[in-house]
Each structure stands twice: as structure tokens, then as C-alpha cells.
Amino acid sequence: MPKVLDNNVLRDMTAEEIARADANREQDNIILAQMKADKDAYDALKASAKAKLIAGEALTEDEANTIVL
């Protein structure tokens, strides 16, 4: 059984604490996956903008927004 330090005393976690920790961990994983997907999409958009600039093609508004500081 997992342990927790509570007021400087190491004790077993209750079933409720374990369930809460598991739910928090799952939510964190969902958030991290979404953040990675968002970053990957932004990086792809930025690469597309760069390729179009090099080729002298018109950019979409979203592509232009990636390079505006």
C-alpha cells in the first residue's frame, strides 16, 4: 500500500487518498497530452509559414501570427 507523510508520521494512504491521487495523475496526463498536441500544431504551423516565406508564397493569417513578435 502506498505511504504518505502526515505530520512527520509515515502512514498508509487510505483508499480515498489513493483514488484521489490516481484521478489527479490521470487529469495531469490529459493536460500534458493536450499541451504537447498544441505545441506540435503550433510548430507545424510555424514550419509551414517558414516554408511559404522561403518560397515567396502568401501566408494565412494564422501563419503570419506565428512570426509576428
Side-chain angles (χ1 to χ4, degrees), residues 37-58:
D38 291 347
K39 182 184 181 315
D40 290 346
Y42 178 79
D43 289 345
L45 187 63
K46 193 172 180 180
S48 173
K50 182 177 179 179
K52 284 184 178 181
L53 281 173
I54 291 170
E57 298 175 15

Side-chain angles (χ1 to χ4, degrees), residues 10-25:
L10 192 62
R11 64 170 175 78
D12 290 333
M13 291 177 75
T14 65
E16 182 180 302
E17 289 171 329
I18 293 170
R20 191 176 332 118
D22 289 343
N24 289 344
R25 192 171 11 266

Side-chain angles (χ1 to χ4, degrees), residues 27-40:
Q27 185 65 29
D28 289 347
N29 288 338
I30 291 169
I31 291 168
L32 287 173
Q34 183 60 52
M35 289 173 64
K36 183 182 181 328
D38 291 347
K39 182 184 181 315
D40 290 346

